[in-house]
């Protein structure tokens, strides 16, 4: 084993460095992971360019990365569920397991959540990383490390579709065609949705694509209705843009549901009366909860193909170039290989 641990560390806004750190040792219930693939998320780029996301502010050096897969390289005391050499996907949030949210199965709302690359907790864009064993999921041999890393964004889609009650025959509108929009499209299709919503999205299975040309949400909603043939049963809003959220409400049928996934401004003006008198439910999501097994089953069974999402690949030594490409908005998903060249 190497005695150094190349790591991508954000010191402050705009200051991302690659440094060698000691290889960490696992504690009780933990495993040491030899990292394989780490995807760049929009939140990683936002921390790098802004130094904060809402109340989460980078006040001390922080390792980036949370969409990841790895090989187990050492077991901590008491770990029996994994063995050295196991290929795993990493669910990046570790809750306290003791609070009411955890005990009632909604651990994503845990107030003591330790989530990778969310201040003050380090992420896993490194050669080696330590994580709790029970939040590592074994990958079948035919599931690649890139697919394992993509379980993280795919789980967002699973949770959003759970919250929206997407089922067989549901007419679903997806607002936003970035990576999160795409995984929601894939999940909705896998659950039997009849319709979904741009050119890459079309190749991933969208039945209809709408390029928004007006900032008037009612005009855009009329476009949506023309493509769908009627209003959507469920709209999953993935952009966080205020005009898009308003469009989502106008585009959803009476008695339908809008799921807010994208994060935008803290305060947004919405047509609440329109939603209220038509009994359009508006629900939010926060990350995901109990979704990794489902996301893994979707990929392992072939029901969902996330491979085309990876459009750019870099080595860990090229992490700075990878982040520059992500900042420019290149491709769909950028993947960083953490193994030695």
């Amino acid at each position: 084993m190497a005695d150094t641990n190349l790591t991508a560390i954000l010191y402050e806004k705009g200051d991302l460095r690659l440094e060698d750190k000691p290889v960490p040792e696992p504690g009780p219930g933990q495993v040491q992971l030899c990292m394989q693939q780490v995807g760049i998320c929009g939140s990683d780029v936002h921390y790098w360019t802004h130094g904060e996301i809402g109340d989460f502010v980078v006040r001390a050096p922080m390792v980036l990365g949370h969409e990841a897969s790895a090989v187990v390289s050492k077991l901590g005391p008491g770990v029996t569920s994994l063995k050295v050499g196991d290929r795993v996907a990493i669910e990046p949030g570790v809750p306290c397991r003791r609070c009411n949210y955890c005990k009632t199965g909604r651990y994503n709302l845990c107030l003591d959540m330790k989530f990778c690359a969310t201040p003050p907790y380090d992420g896993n864009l490194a050669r080696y990383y330590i994580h709790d064993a029970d939040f590592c999921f074994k990958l079948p041999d035919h599931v690649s490390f890139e697919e394992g890393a993509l379980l993280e964004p795919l789980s967002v889609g699973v949770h959003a579709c759970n919250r929206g009650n997407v089922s067989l025959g549901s007419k679903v509108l997806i607002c936003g065609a970035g990576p999160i929009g795409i995984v929601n499209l894939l999940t909705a299709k896998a659950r039997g949705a009849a319709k979904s919503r741009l050119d890459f999205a079309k190749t991933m299975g969208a039945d209809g694509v709408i390029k928004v040309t007006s900032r008037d949400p009612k005009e855009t909603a009329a476009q949506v209705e023309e493509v769908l043939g009627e209003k959507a049963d469920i709209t999953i809003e993935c952009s966080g843009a205020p005009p898009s959220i308003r469009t989502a409400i106008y585009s959803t049928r009476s008695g339908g549901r809008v799921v807010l996934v994208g994060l935008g401004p803290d305060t947004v003006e919405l047509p609440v009366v329109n939603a209220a008198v038509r009994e359009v439910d508006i629900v939010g999501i926060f990350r995901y909860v109990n979704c990794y097994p489902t996301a893994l089953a979707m990929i392992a069974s072939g029901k969902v193909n996330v491979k085309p999402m990876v459009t750019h690949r870099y080595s860990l030594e090229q992490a700075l170039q990878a982040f520059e490409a992500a900042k420019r908005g290149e491709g769909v998903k950028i993947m960083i290989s953490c193994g030695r060249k």
Side-chain angles (χ1 to χ4, degrees):
M1 180 183 293
D3 58 358
T4 56
N5 180 25
L6 190 62
T7 304
I9 305 172
L10 179 64
Y11 275 78
E12 60 183 357
K13 174 182 174 181
D15 185 5
L16 177 60
R17 310 178 196 175
L18 280 172
E19 295 183 357
D20 274 327
K21 295 290 185 182
V23 175
E25 291 295 320
Q30 296 181 325
V31 288
Q32 180 193 80
L33 298 168
C34 181
M35 301 304 299
Q36 298 298 309
Q37 297 290 334
V38 179
I40 296 180
C41 174
S43 64
D44 295 314
V45 177
H46 198 89
Y47 279 123
W48 175 46
T49 56
H50 292 79
E52 60 185 25
I53 296 178
D55 294 334
F56 297 104
V57 181
V58 179
R59 304 185 193 280
M62 179 184 79
V63 181
L64 292 175
H66 65 269
E67 302 177 359
S69 60
V71 172
V72 176
S73 49
K74 185 178 287 189
L75 305 180
V79 174
T80 58
S81 58
L82 296 170
K83 63 182 186 300
V84 172
D86 279 346
R87 305 164 65 254
V88 298
I90 305 164
E91 181 171 348
V94 177
C96 75
R97 303 179 177 86
R98 299 181 298 276
C99 70
N100 186 60
Y101 292 117
C102 288
K103 290 180 178 179
T104 55
R106 302 188 72 179
Y107 64 81
N108 59 320
L109 303 179
C110 174
L111 299 179
D112 291 321
M113 172 71 76
K114 297 177 180 178
F115 199 91
C116 288
T118 300
Y121 304 108
D122 283 333
N124 47 35
L125 185 48
R127 292 262 193 257
Y128 294 94
Y129 172 70
I130 298 297
H131 202 66
D132 284 30
D134 53 342
F135 282 87
C136 295
F137 295 82
K138 291 183 187 179
L139 297 175
D141 291 342
H142 68 283
V143 175
S144 70
F145 285 118
E146 287 188 346
E147 291 173 300
L150 287 169
L151 286 185
E152 200 280 337
L154 184 58
S155 291
V156 175
V158 172
H159 189 40
C161 287
N162 285 343
R163 293 279 282 160
N165 293 328
V166 175
S167 59
L168 188 65
S170 297
K171 290 195 174 180
V172 180
L173 168 67
I174 309 291
C175 297
I180 294 301
I182 296 300
V183 294
N184 274 280
L185 161 65
L186 293 171
T187 306
K189 293 287 288 187
R191 293 171 67 130
K195 291 270 185 180
S196 307
R197 169 204 177 316
L198 265 262
D199 294 336
F200 186 80
K202 191 81 171 177
T203 68
M204 297 296 283
D207 296 297
V209 173
I210 300 166
K211 184 176 181 180
V212 177
T213 57
S214 170
R215 293 189 67 81
D216 184 331
K218 290 185 178 179
E219 286 185 21
T220 305
Q223 285 182 271
V224 170
E225 195 165 347
E226 185 176 344
V227 171
L228 289 177
E230 57 186 307
K231 291 183 183 295
D233 299 318
I234 302 138
T235 299
I236 303 176
E237 207 300 305
C238 301
S239 74
S244 184
I245 300 173
R246 292 189 280 270
T247 295
I249 292 172
Y250 288 128
S251 300
T252 305
R253 68 168 176 79
S254 297
R257 179 167 289 199
V258 174
V259 184
L260 302 180
V261 179
L263 297 178
D266 286 342
T267 302
V268 178
E269 183 177 320
L270 298 178
V272 172
V273 172
N274 178 281
V277 299
R278 296 193 302 112
E279 296 192 0
V280 174
D281 294 337
I282 302 173
V283 300
I285 75 161
F286 187 55
R287 297 171 180 153
Y288 35 77
V289 59
N290 300 311
C291 293
Y292 257 64
T294 299
L296 178 55
M298 289 165 61
I299 289 177
S301 67
K303 189 73 174 176
V304 163
N305 180 17
V306 294
K307 293 178 182 178
M309 290 183 63
V310 182
T311 54
H312 293 63
R313 295 174 173 87
Y314 293 84
S315 66
L316 181 55
E317 290 84 355
Q318 299 170 314
L320 296 178
Q321 295 99 300
F323 271 81
E324 289 286 357
K327 181 181 177 181
R328 292 191 296 269
E330 295 181 7
V332 178
K333 177 57 66 176
I334 294 176
M335 199 66 67
I336 296 177
S337 175
C338 295
R340 291 188 179 277
K341 297 169 73 174

